[in-house]
Amino acid sequence: MQTTLPVALSAQLAAEKRLDTIANNLANSRTAGFRSEEVKFEQLLSTASQRDSVAFASSGETYLSTRSGELTQTGNALDVAVSGEAFLAIQTPRGTVYTRDGRMQMLDTGELQTLNGEPVLDVGGAPILLDPAGGAPSVARDGMITQNGIQLGALGLFQMPPGANLSRAGTSGVVPDRAAIPVVEFTDAHVLQGFQEGSNVNPILEMTRMIAVQRAFEQAANLIQTSESSLGSAISMLGAPK
């Protein structure tokens, strides 16, 4: 059985998928709160032959990395960053979405929103309303927001359940496949006012990966070409008159 072609083709498909994720990561290396996309590969074993096993590369399973991005101090009272493994909650047309992009704005009516106009939610899932005439808010490490010494609400912090699969929602948002867990103890996860979290993409590492994947793709292409040449030569020899 000729197995070189399907094996090499599976390697090319896996490399193509990896290149797509790397390109998307690089394009968002400066996007606030962006979570990089990774690919987990595994081998598939063919059982068509009882004597020999053939290993194929799967197309890969993508997942979102939850590691933190770099924090930058902005001094803006409406910029917050999350320290630790937790997310802010925002309301979008598709429902509640969780994000690490803590750049906010306060409308003239007092609504606290993201820069894209999505309401920022408290731990109970309700929009936060501030005093538009109360000046710059103060945000404590537990997310409590005060203006002129009056507590007006608290940013909701949520952790992803163990083993949850995250899907992307917009540029910097994620949605878990099971209910997020509200943070009630702020030892390991808390809010930092006046900071902004960047993307967790490492551009240099992604460029290195891109070069390696491109080389693997080319090697698979060369293997296919060599296999086709060998197969053509064998057919010519078998078909030659004796």
Side-chain angles (χ1 to χ4, degrees), residues 78-116:
L78 290 176
D79 283 345
V80 297
V82 179
S83 177
E85 296 185 2
F87 291 79
L88 299 168
I90 59 177
Q91 185 65 43
T92 73
R94 65 173 292 179
T96 302
V97 169
Y98 302 92
T99 182
R100 299 276 292 197
D101 183 359
R103 299 174 299 166
M104 302 180 294
Q105 60 180 341
M106 181 172 58
L107 303 187
D108 294 338
T109 51
E111 288 93 346
L112 191 62
Q113 297 186 350
T114 68
L115 296 186
N116 293 326

PDB file of all heavy atoms in Angstrom, residues 78-116:
ATOM      1  N   LEU A  78      -9.923  54.909  34.347  1.00  0.00           N
ATOM      2  CA  LEU A  78     -10.882  53.991  33.733  1.00  0.00           C
ATOM      3  C   LEU A  78     -10.195  52.819  33.029  1.00  0.00           C
ATOM      4  O   LEU A  78     -10.838  52.070  32.308  1.00  0.00           O
ATOM      5  CB  LEU A  78     -11.780  54.746  32.759  1.00  0.00           C
ATOM      6  CG  LEU A  78     -12.772  55.717  33.405  1.00  0.00           C
ATOM      7  CD1 LEU A  78     -13.544  56.490  32.346  1.00  0.00           C
ATOM      8  CD2 LEU A  78     -13.735  54.977  34.322  1.00  0.00           C
ATOM      9  N   ASP A  79      -8.898  52.679  33.248  1.00  0.00           N
ATOM     10  CA  ASP A  79      -8.177  51.494  32.768  1.00  0.00           C
ATOM     11  C   ASP A  79      -7.952  50.561  33.946  1.00  0.00           C
ATOM     12  O   ASP A  79      -7.450  50.987  34.992  1.00  0.00           O
ATOM     13  CB  ASP A  79      -6.816  51.877  32.169  1.00  0.00           C
ATOM     14  CG  ASP A  79      -6.933  52.459  30.778  1.00  0.00           C
ATOM     15  OD1 ASP A  79      -8.003  52.317  30.160  1.00  0.00           O
ATOM     16  OD2 ASP A  79      -5.947  53.058  30.306  1.00  0.00           O
ATOM     17  N   VAL A  80      -8.324  49.296  33.784  1.00  0.00           N
ATOM     18  CA  VAL A  80      -8.044  48.306  34.822  1.00  0.00           C
ATOM     19  C   VAL A  80      -7.453  47.059  34.166  1.00  0.00           C
ATOM     20  O   VAL A  80      -7.727  46.766  33.000  1.00  0.00           O
ATOM     21  CB  VAL A  80      -9.308  47.914  35.617  1.00  0.00           C
ATOM     22  CG1 VAL A  80      -9.866  49.114  36.358  1.00  0.00           C
ATOM     23  CG2 VAL A  80     -10.363  47.295  34.725  1.00  0.00           C
ATOM     24  N   ALA A  81      -6.625  46.367  34.917  1.00  0.00           N
ATOM     25  CA  ALA A  81      -6.072  45.095  34.477  1.00  0.00           C
ATOM     26  C   ALA A  81      -6.357  44.060  35.556  1.00  0.00           C
ATOM     27  O   ALA A  81      -6.494  44.397  36.730  1.00  0.00           O
ATOM     28  CB  ALA A  81      -4.571  45.212  34.223  1.00  0.00           C
ATOM     29  N   VAL A  82      -6.453  42.825  35.149  1.00  0.00           N
ATOM     30  CA  VAL A  82      -6.710  41.732  36.086  1.00  0.00           C
ATOM     31  C   VAL A  82      -5.401  41.005  36.343  1.00  0.00           C
ATOM     32  O   VAL A  82      -4.738  40.549  35.410  1.00  0.00           O
ATOM     33  CB  VAL A  82      -7.762  40.751  35.533  1.00  0.00           C
ATOM     34  CG1 VAL A  82      -7.980  39.604  36.517  1.00  0.00           C
ATOM     35  CG2 VAL A  82      -9.069  41.474  35.258  1.00  0.00           C
ATOM     36  N   SER A  83      -5.021  40.907  37.593  1.00  0.00           N
ATOM     37  CA  SER A  83      -3.850  40.138  37.990  1.00  0.00           C
ATOM     38  C   SER A  83      -4.311  38.762  38.445  1.00  0.00           C
ATOM     39  O   SER A  83      -5.187  38.648  39.304  1.00  0.00           O
ATOM     40  CB  SER A  83      -3.106  40.850  39.115  1.00  0.00           C
ATOM     41  OG  SER A  83      -2.003  40.073  39.565  1.00  0.00           O
ATOM     42  N   GLY A  84      -3.734  37.721  37.872  1.00  0.00           N
ATOM     43  CA  GLY A  84      -4.159  36.366  38.199  1.00  0.00           C
ATOM     44  C   GLY A  84      -5.057  35.797  37.119  1.00  0.00           C
ATOM     45  O   GLY A  84      -5.340  36.436  36.108  1.00  0.00           O
ATOM     46  N   GLU A  85      -5.522  34.577  37.341  1.00  0.00           N
ATOM     47  CA  GLU A  85      -6.325  33.867  36.341  1.00  0.00           C
ATOM     48  C   GLU A  85      -7.804  34.175  36.533  1.00  0.00           C
ATOM     49  O   GLU A  85      -8.554  33.388  37.118  1.00  0.00           O
ATOM     50  CB  GLU A  85      -6.054  32.370  36.412  1.00  0.00           C
ATOM     51  CG  GLU A  85      -4.618  31.986  36.071  1.00  0.00           C
ATOM     52  CD  GLU A  85      -4.409  30.486  36.042  1.00  0.00           C
ATOM     53  OE1 GLU A  85      -5.394  29.751  36.243  1.00  0.00           O
ATOM     54  OE2 GLU A  85      -3.265  30.065  35.821  1.00  0.00           O
ATOM     55  N   ALA A  86      -8.222  35.339  36.058  1.00  0.00           N
ATOM     56  CA  ALA A  86      -9.624  35.745  36.148  1.00  0.00           C
ATOM     57  C   ALA A  86      -9.927  36.677  34.985  1.00  0.00           C
ATOM     58  O   ALA A  86      -9.026  37.166  34.300  1.00  0.00           O
ATOM     59  CB  ALA A  86      -9.910  36.413  37.487  1.00  0.00           C
ATOM     60  N   PHE A  87     -11.208  36.932  34.776  1.00  0.00           N
ATOM     61  CA  PHE A  87     -11.667  37.746  33.657  1.00  0.00           C
ATOM     62  C   PHE A  87     -12.720  38.731  34.129  1.00  0.00           C
ATOM     63  O   PHE A  87     -13.436  38.478  35.106  1.00  0.00           O
ATOM     64  CB  PHE A  87     -12.282  36.866  32.561  1.00  0.00           C
ATOM     65  CG  PHE A  87     -11.306  35.997  31.821  1.00  0.00           C
ATOM     66  CD1 PHE A  87     -10.837  34.814  32.389  1.00  0.00           C
ATOM     67  CD2 PHE A  87     -10.860  36.345  30.550  1.00  0.00           C
ATOM     68  CE1 PHE A  87      -9.948  34.003  31.706  1.00  0.00           C
ATOM     69  CE2 PHE A  87      -9.977  35.541  29.871  1.00  0.00           C
ATOM     70  CZ  PHE A  87      -9.510  34.369  30.431  1.00  0.00           C
ATOM     71  N   LEU A  88     -12.838  39.847  33.420  1.00  0.00           N
ATOM     72  CA  LEU A  88     -13.961  40.756  33.578  1.00  0.00           C
ATOM     73  C   LEU A  88     -15.125  40.229  32.746  1.00  0.00           C
ATOM     74  O   LEU A  88     -14.919  39.438  31.809  1.00  0.00           O
ATOM     75  CB  LEU A  88     -13.582  42.162  33.108  1.00  0.00           C
ATOM     76  CG  LEU A  88     -12.422  42.840  33.844  1.00  0.00           C
ATOM     77  CD1 LEU A  88     -11.987  44.087  33.078  1.00  0.00           C
ATOM     78  CD2 LEU A  88     -12.818  43.191  35.270  1.00  0.00           C
ATOM     79  N   ALA A  89     -16.332  40.683  33.055  1.00  0.00           N
ATOM     80  CA  ALA A  89     -17.519  40.259  32.307  1.00  0.00           C
ATOM     81  C   ALA A  89     -18.142  41.462  31.615  1.00  0.00           C
ATOM     82  O   ALA A  89     -18.245  42.544  32.204  1.00  0.00           O
ATOM     83  CB  ALA A  89     -18.539  39.595  33.233  1.00  0.00           C
ATOM     84  N   ILE A  90     -18.556  41.276  30.367  1.00  0.00           N
ATOM     85  CA  ILE A  90     -19.213  42.333  29.618  1.00  0.00           C
ATOM     86  C   ILE A  90     -20.458  41.759  28.939  1.00  0.00           C
ATOM     87  O   ILE A  90     -20.554  40.549  28.703  1.00  0.00           O
ATOM     88  CB  ILE A  90     -18.281  42.957  28.554  1.00  0.00           C
ATOM     89  CG1 ILE A  90     -17.800  41.889  27.564  1.00  0.00           C
ATOM     90  CG2 ILE A  90     -17.104  43.645  29.208  1.00  0.00           C
ATOM     91  CD1 ILE A  90     -16.940  42.436  26.431  1.00  0.00           C
ATOM     92  N   GLN A  91     -21.416  42.643  28.641  1.00  0.00           N
ATOM     93  CA  GLN A  91     -22.650  42.221  27.982  1.00  0.00           C
ATOM     94  C   GLN A  91     -22.547  42.521  26.495  1.00  0.00           C
ATOM     95  O   GLN A  91     -22.270  43.648  26.098  1.00  0.00           O
ATOM     96  CB  GLN A  91     -23.846  42.957  28.573  1.00  0.00           C
ATOM     97  CG  GLN A  91     -25.185  42.504  28.034  1.00  0.00           C
ATOM     98  CD  GLN A  91     -25.501  41.065  28.414  1.00  0.00           C
ATOM     99  OE1 GLN A  91     -25.278  40.674  29.554  1.00  0.00           O
ATOM    100  NE2 GLN A  91     -26.009  40.287  27.481  1.00  0.00           N
ATOM    101  N   THR A  92     -22.771  41.507  25.670  1.00  0.00           N
ATOM    102  CA  THR A  92     -22.698  41.657  24.217  1.00  0.00           C
ATOM    103  C   THR A  92     -23.984  41.103  23.598  1.00  0.00           C
ATOM    104  O   THR A  92     -24.778  40.449  24.279  1.00  0.00           O
ATOM    105  CB  THR A  92     -21.486  40.907  23.645  1.00  0.00           C
ATOM    106  OG1 THR A  92     -21.747  39.493  23.684  1.00  0.00           O
ATOM    107  CG2 THR A  92     -20.219  41.205  24.432  1.00  0.00           C
ATOM    108  N   PRO A  93     -24.194  41.332  22.299  1.00  0.00           N
ATOM    109  CA  PRO A  93     -25.382  40.775  21.646  1.00  0.00           C
ATOM    110  C   PRO A  93     -25.477  39.255  21.739  1.00  0.00           C
ATOM    111  O   PRO A  93     -26.581  38.697  21.678  1.00  0.00           O
ATOM    112  CB  PRO A  93     -25.219  41.230  20.195  1.00  0.00           C
ATOM    113  CG  PRO A  93     -24.441  42.501  20.294  1.00  0.00           C
ATOM    114  CD  PRO A  93     -23.478  42.280  21.421  1.00  0.00           C
ATOM    115  N   ARG A  94     -24.349  38.564  21.906  1.00  0.00           N
ATOM    116  CA  ARG A  94     -24.385  37.108  22.010  1.00  0.00           C
ATOM    117  C   ARG A  94     -24.475  36.630  23.454  1.00  0.00           C
ATOM    118  O   ARG A  94     -24.435  35.432  23.720  1.00  0.00           O
ATOM    119  CB  ARG A  94     -23.165  36.491  21.321  1.00  0.00           C
ATOM    120  CG  ARG A  94     -21.839  36.816  21.960  1.00  0.00           C
ATOM    121  CD  ARG A  94     -20.696  36.038  21.315  1.00  0.00           C
ATOM    122  NE  ARG A  94     -20.792  34.614  21.588  1.00  0.00           N
ATOM    123  CZ  ARG A  94     -19.928  33.709  21.112  1.00  0.00           C
ATOM    124  NH1 ARG A  94     -18.947  34.082  20.327  1.00  0.00           N
ATOM    125  NH2 ARG A  94     -20.070  32.435  21.413  1.00  0.00           N
ATOM    126  N   GLY A  95     -24.593  37.573  24.393  1.00  0.00           N
ATOM    127  CA  GLY A  95     -24.689  37.215  25.802  1.00  0.00           C
ATOM    128  C   GLY A  95     -23.466  37.680  26.571  1.00  0.00           C
ATOM    129  O   GLY A  95     -22.717  38.555  26.122  1.00  0.00           O
ATOM    130  N   THR A  96     -23.265  37.080  27.739  1.00  0.00           N
ATOM    131  CA  THR A  96     -22.120  37.461  28.570  1.00  0.00           C
ATOM    132  C   THR A  96     -20.828  36.928  27.977  1.00  0.00           C
ATOM    133  O   THR A  96     -20.719  35.751  27.636  1.00  0.00           O
ATOM    134  CB  THR A  96     -22.286  36.922  29.999  1.00  0.00           C
ATOM    135  OG1 THR A  96     -23.494  37.431  30.560  1.00  0.00           O
ATOM    136  CG2 THR A  96     -21.116  37.336  30.874  1.00  0.00           C
ATOM    137  N   VAL A  97     -19.861  37.821  27.838  1.00  0.00           N
ATOM    138  CA  VAL A  97     -18.541  37.470  27.322  1.00  0.00           C
ATOM    139  C   VAL A  97     -17.506  37.891  28.354  1.00  0.00           C
ATOM    140  O   VAL A  97     -17.687  38.888  29.070  1.00  0.00           O
ATOM    141  CB  VAL A  97     -18.283  38.171  25.966  1.00  0.00           C
ATOM    142  CG1 VAL A  97     -16.828  38.028  25.545  1.00  0.00           C
ATOM    143  CG2 VAL A  97     -19.202  37.606  24.900  1.00  0.00           C
ATOM    144  N   TYR A  98     -16.421  37.142  28.457  1.00  0.00           N
ATOM    145  CA  TYR A  98     -15.380  37.417  29.440  1.00  0.00           C
ATOM    146  C   TYR A  98     -14.133  37.934  28.727  1.00  0.00           C
ATOM    147  O   TYR A  98     -13.776  37.446  27.655  1.00  0.00           O
ATOM    148  CB  TYR A  98     -15.081  36.162  30.254  1.00  0.00           C
ATOM    149  CG  TYR A  98     -16.318  35.639  30.955  1.00  0.00           C
ATOM    150  CD1 TYR A  98     -17.142  34.691  30.352  1.00  0.00           C
ATOM    151  CD2 TYR A  98     -16.697  36.151  32.189  1.00  0.00           C
ATOM    152  CE1 TYR A  98     -18.302  34.248  30.974  1.00  0.00           C
ATOM    153  CE2 TYR A  98     -17.854  35.717  32.827  1.00  0.00           C
ATOM    154  CZ  TYR A  98     -18.649  34.773  32.208  1.00  0.00           C
ATOM    155  OH  TYR A  98     -19.806  34.354  32.823  1.00  0.00           O
ATOM    156  N   THR A  99     -13.502  38.926  29.320  1.00  0.00           N
ATOM    157  CA  THR A  99     -12.378  39.576  28.643  1.00  0.00           C
ATOM    158  C   THR A  99     -11.316  40.005  29.642  1.00  0.00           C
ATOM    159  O   THR A  99     -11.601  40.193  30.833  1.00  0.00           O
ATOM    160  CB  THR A  99     -12.869  40.810  27.853  1.00  0.00           C
ATOM    161  OG1 THR A  99     -11.772  41.402  27.161  1.00  0.00           O
ATOM    162  CG2 THR A  99     -13.488  41.843  28.783  1.00  0.00           C
ATOM    163  N   ARG A 100     -10.097  40.187  29.133  1.00  0.00           N
ATOM    164  CA  ARG A 100      -9.006  40.755  29.922  1.00  0.00           C
ATOM    165  C   ARG A 100      -8.718  42.194  29.488  1.00  0.00           C
ATOM    166  O   ARG A 100      -7.805  42.824  30.014  1.00  0.00           O
ATOM    167  CB  ARG A 100      -7.761  39.901  29.740  1.00  0.00           C
ATOM    168  CG  ARG A 100      -7.899  38.461  30.202  1.00  0.00           C
ATOM    169  CD  ARG A 100      -7.651  38.287  31.664  1.00  0.00           C
ATOM    170  NE  ARG A 100      -6.277  38.534  32.033  1.00  0.00           N
ATOM    171  CZ  ARG A 100      -5.722  38.144  33.173  1.00  0.00           C
ATOM    172  NH1 ARG A 100      -6.462  37.494  34.070  1.00  0.00           N
ATOM    173  NH2 ARG A 100      -4.468  38.420  33.468  1.00  0.00           N
ATOM    174  N   ASP A 101      -9.480  42.681  28.525  1.00  0.00           N
ATOM    175  CA  ASP A 101      -9.328  44.059  28.064  1.00  0.00           C
ATOM    176  C   ASP A 101     -10.120  44.968  29.006  1.00  0.00           C
ATOM    177  O   ASP A 101     -11.339  45.060  28.917  1.00  0.00           O
ATOM    178  CB  ASP A 101      -9.834  44.197  26.629  1.00  0.00           C
ATOM    179  CG  ASP A 101      -9.623  45.596  26.064  1.00  0.00           C
ATOM    180  OD1 ASP A 101      -9.100  46.464  26.800  1.00  0.00           O
ATOM    181  OD2 ASP A 101      -9.982  45.822  24.901  1.00  0.00           O
ATOM    182  N   GLY A 102      -9.420  45.625  29.930  1.00  0.00           N
ATOM    183  CA  GLY A 102     -10.084  46.435  30.938  1.00  0.00           C
ATOM    184  C   GLY A 102     -10.123  47.920  30.634  1.00  0.00           C
ATOM    185  O   GLY A 102     -10.272  48.737  31.554  1.00  0.00           O
ATOM    186  N   ARG A 103     -10.006  48.288  29.384  1.00  0.00           N
ATOM    187  CA  ARG A 103     -10.120  49.703  29.009  1.00  0.00           C
ATOM    188  C   ARG A 103     -11.602  50.076  28.983  1.00  0.00           C
ATOM    189  O   ARG A 103     -12.372  49.504  28.221  1.00  0.00           O
ATOM    190  CB  ARG A 103      -9.482  49.946  27.644  1.00  0.00           C
ATOM    191  CG  ARG A 103      -7.985  49.625  27.583  1.00  0.00           C
ATOM    192  CD  ARG A 103      -7.466  49.742  26.168  1.00  0.00           C
ATOM    193  NE  ARG A 103      -8.155  48.805  25.290  1.00  0.00           N
ATOM    194  CZ  ARG A 103      -8.104  48.854  23.951  1.00  0.00           C
ATOM    195  NH1 ARG A 103      -7.412  49.804  23.361  1.00  0.00           N
ATOM    196  NH2 ARG A 103      -8.754  47.953  23.235  1.00  0.00           N
ATOM    197  N   MET A 104     -11.988  51.035  29.826  1.00  0.00           N
ATOM    198  CA  MET A 104     -13.404  51.359  29.969  1.00  0.00           C
ATOM    199  C   MET A 104     -13.659  52.840  29.680  1.00  0.00           C
ATOM    200  O   MET A 104     -12.732  53.650  29.594  1.00  0.00           O
ATOM    201  CB  MET A 104     -13.874  51.010  31.383  1.00  0.00           C
ATOM    202  CG  MET A 104     -13.673  49.554  31.767  1.00  0.00           C
ATOM    203  SD  MET A 104     -14.257  49.186  33.456  1.00  0.00           S
ATOM    204  CE  MET A 104     -13.098  50.167  34.431  1.00  0.00           C
ATOM    205  N   GLN A 105     -14.926  53.158  29.555  1.00  0.00           N
ATOM    206  CA  GLN A 105     -15.358  54.541  29.397  1.00  0.00           C
ATOM    207  C   GLN A 105     -16.651  54.734  30.183  1.00  0.00           C
ATOM    208  O   GLN A 105     -17.437  53.797  30.359  1.00  0.00           O
ATOM    209  CB  GLN A 105     -15.598  54.873  27.923  1.00  0.00           C
ATOM    210  CG  GLN A 105     -16.678  54.010  27.259  1.00  0.00           C
ATOM    211  CD  GLN A 105     -16.902  54.360  25.808  1.00  0.00           C
ATOM    212  OE1 GLN A 105     -16.528  55.439  25.367  1.00  0.00           O
ATOM    213  NE2 GLN A 105     -17.501  53.451  25.049  1.00  0.00           N
ATOM    214  N   MET A 106     -16.859  55.944  30.676  1.00  0.00           N
ATOM    215  CA  MET A 106     -18.100  56.272  31.381  1.00  0.00           C
ATOM    216  C   MET A 106     -18.896  57.237  30.512  1.00  0.00           C
ATOM    217  O   MET A 106     -18.404  58.309  30.137  1.00  0.00           O
ATOM    218  CB  MET A 106     -17.808  56.899  32.744  1.00  0.00           C
ATOM    219  CG  MET A 106     -19.055  57.239  33.543  1.00  0.00           C
ATOM    220  SD  MET A 106     -18.699  57.781  35.250  1.00  0.00           S
ATOM    221  CE  MET A 106     -17.629  59.201  34.962  1.00  0.00           C
ATOM    222  N   LEU A 107     -20.126  56.857  30.200  1.00  0.00           N
ATOM    223  CA  LEU A 107     -20.962  57.703  29.368  1.00  0.00           C
ATOM    224  C   LEU A 107     -21.474  58.903  30.159  1.00  0.00           C
ATOM    225  O   LEU A 107     -21.384  58.952  31.387  1.00  0.00           O
ATOM    226  CB  LEU A 107     -22.138  56.896  28.816  1.00  0.00           C
ATOM    227  CG  LEU A 107     -21.811  55.637  27.997  1.00  0.00           C
ATOM    228  CD1 LEU A 107     -23.089  55.067  27.390  1.00  0.00           C
ATOM    229  CD2 LEU A 107     -20.779  55.926  26.920  1.00  0.00           C
ATOM    230  N   ASP A 108     -22.025  59.862  29.451  1.00  0.00           N
ATOM    231  CA  ASP A 108     -22.588  61.047  30.110  1.00  0.00           C
ATOM    232  C   ASP A 108     -23.736  60.682  31.047  1.00  0.00           C
ATOM    233  O   ASP A 108     -24.056  61.439  31.965  1.00  0.00           O
ATOM    234  CB  ASP A 108     -23.085  62.049  29.060  1.00  0.00           C
ATOM    235  CG  ASP A 108     -21.953  62.623  28.232  1.00  0.00           C
ATOM    236  OD1 ASP A 108     -20.804  62.587  28.715  1.00  0.00           O
ATOM    237  OD2 ASP A 108     -22.202  63.094  27.102  1.00  0.00           O
ATOM    238  N   THR A 109     -24.339  59.535  30.811  1.00  0.00           N
ATOM    239  CA  THR A 109     -25.441  59.064  31.657  1.00  0.00           C
ATOM    240  C   THR A 109     -24.956  58.176  32.806  1.00  0.00           C
ATOM    241  O   THR A 109     -25.764  57.713  33.608  1.00  0.00           O
ATOM    242  CB  THR A 109     -26.453  58.284  30.808  1.00  0.00           C
ATOM    243  OG1 THR A 109     -25.759  57.284  30.042  1.00  0.00           O
ATOM    244  CG2 THR A 109     -27.180  59.222  29.858  1.00  0.00           C
ATOM    245  N   GLY A 110     -23.647  57.909  32.875  1.00  0.00           N
ATOM    246  CA  GLY A 110     -23.079  57.148  33.978  1.00  0.00           C
ATOM    247  C   GLY A 110     -22.816  55.692  33.699  1.00  0.00           C
ATOM    248  O   GLY A 110     -22.195  55.006  34.520  1.00  0.00           O
ATOM    249  N   GLU A 111     -23.285  55.165  32.562  1.00  0.00           N
ATOM    250  CA  GLU A 111     -23.043  53.749  32.264  1.00  0.00           C
ATOM    251  C   GLU A 111     -21.554  53.490  32.064  1.00  0.00           C
ATOM    252  O   GLU A 111     -20.874  54.262  31.386  1.00  0.00           O
ATOM    253  CB  GLU A 111     -23.804  53.301  31.018  1.00  0.00           C
ATOM    254  CG  GLU A 111     -25.298  53.169  31.205  1.00  0.00           C
ATOM    255  CD  GLU A 111     -26.037  54.426  30.831  1.00  0.00           C
ATOM    256  OE1 GLU A 111     -25.371  55.482  30.673  1.00  0.00           O
ATOM    257  OE2 GLU A 111     -27.271  54.385  30.695  1.00  0.00           O
ATOM    258  N   LEU A 112     -21.081  52.407  32.662  1.00  0.00           N
ATOM    259  CA  LEU A 112     -19.686  51.997  32.507  1.00  0.00           C
ATOM    260  C   LEU A 112     -19.620  50.966  31.392  1.00  0.00           C
ATOM    261  O   LEU A 112     -20.244  49.904  31.474  1.00  0.00           O
ATOM    262  CB  LEU A 112     -19.156  51.406  33.809  1.00  0.00           C
ATOM    263  CG  LEU A 112     -17.650  51.167  33.891  1.00  0.00           C
ATOM    264  CD1 LEU A 112     -16.886  52.478  33.769  1.00  0.00           C
ATOM    265  CD2 LEU A 112     -17.287  50.466  35.199  1.00  0.00           C
ATOM    266  N   GLN A 113     -18.883  51.291  30.335  1.00  0.00           N
ATOM    267  CA  GLN A 113     -18.830  50.432  29.154  1.00  0.00           C
ATOM    268  C   GLN A 113     -17.393  50.213  28.697  1.00  0.00           C
ATOM    269  O   GLN A 113     -16.473  50.928  29.103  1.00  0.00           O
ATOM    270  CB  GLN A 113     -19.641  51.044  28.005  1.00  0.00           C
ATOM    271  CG  GLN A 113     -21.124  51.183  28.271  1.00  0.00           C
ATOM    272  CD  GLN A 113     -21.887  51.672  27.044  1.00  0.00           C
ATOM    273  OE1 GLN A 113     -21.289  52.075  26.040  1.00  0.00           O
ATOM    274  NE2 GLN A 113     -23.212  51.635  27.112  1.00  0.00           N
ATOM    275  N   THR A 114     -17.227  49.213  27.823  1.00  0.00           N
ATOM    276  CA  THR A 114     -15.946  49.026  27.153  1.00  0.00           C
ATOM    277  C   THR A 114     -15.795  50.104  26.088  1.00  0.00           C
ATOM    278  O   THR A 114     -16.732  50.841  25.785  1.00  0.00           O
ATOM    279  CB  THR A 114     -15.871  47.642  26.487  1.00  0.00           C
ATOM    280  OG1 THR A 114     -16.807  47.601  25.385  1.00  0.00           O
ATOM    281  CG2 THR A 114     -16.221  46.534  27.475  1.00  0.00           C
ATOM    282  N   LEU A 115     -14.616  50.170  25.482  1.00  0.00           N
ATOM    283  CA  LEU A 115     -14.406  51.146  24.417  1.00  0.00           C
ATOM    284  C   LEU A 115     -15.260  50.826  23.193  1.00  0.00           C
ATOM    285  O   LEU A 115     -15.489  51.700  22.349  1.00  0.00           O
ATOM    286  CB  LEU A 115     -12.927  51.182  24.026  1.00  0.00           C
ATOM    287  CG  LEU A 115     -11.957  51.664  25.107  1.00  0.00           C
ATOM    288  CD1 LEU A 115     -10.549  51.787  24.537  1.00  0.00           C
ATOM    289  CD2 LEU A 115     -12.405  52.974  25.724  1.00  0.00           C
ATOM    290  N   ASN A 116     -15.752  49.580  23.107  1.00  0.00           N
ATOM    291  CA  ASN A 116     -16.625  49.186  21.997  1.00  0.00           C
ATOM    292  C   ASN A 116     -18.105  49.398  22.316  1.00  0.00           C
ATOM    293  O   ASN A 116     -18.966  49.041  21.507  1.00  0.00           O
ATOM    294  CB  ASN A 116     -16.382  47.727  21.628  1.00  0.00           C
ATOM    295  CG  ASN A 116     -15.002  47.499  21.035  1.00  0.00           C
ATOM    296  OD1 ASN A 116     -14.468  48.364  20.344  1.00  0.00           O
ATOM    297  ND2 ASN A 116     -14.423  46.340  21.318  1.00  0.00           N
TER     298      ASN A 116
END
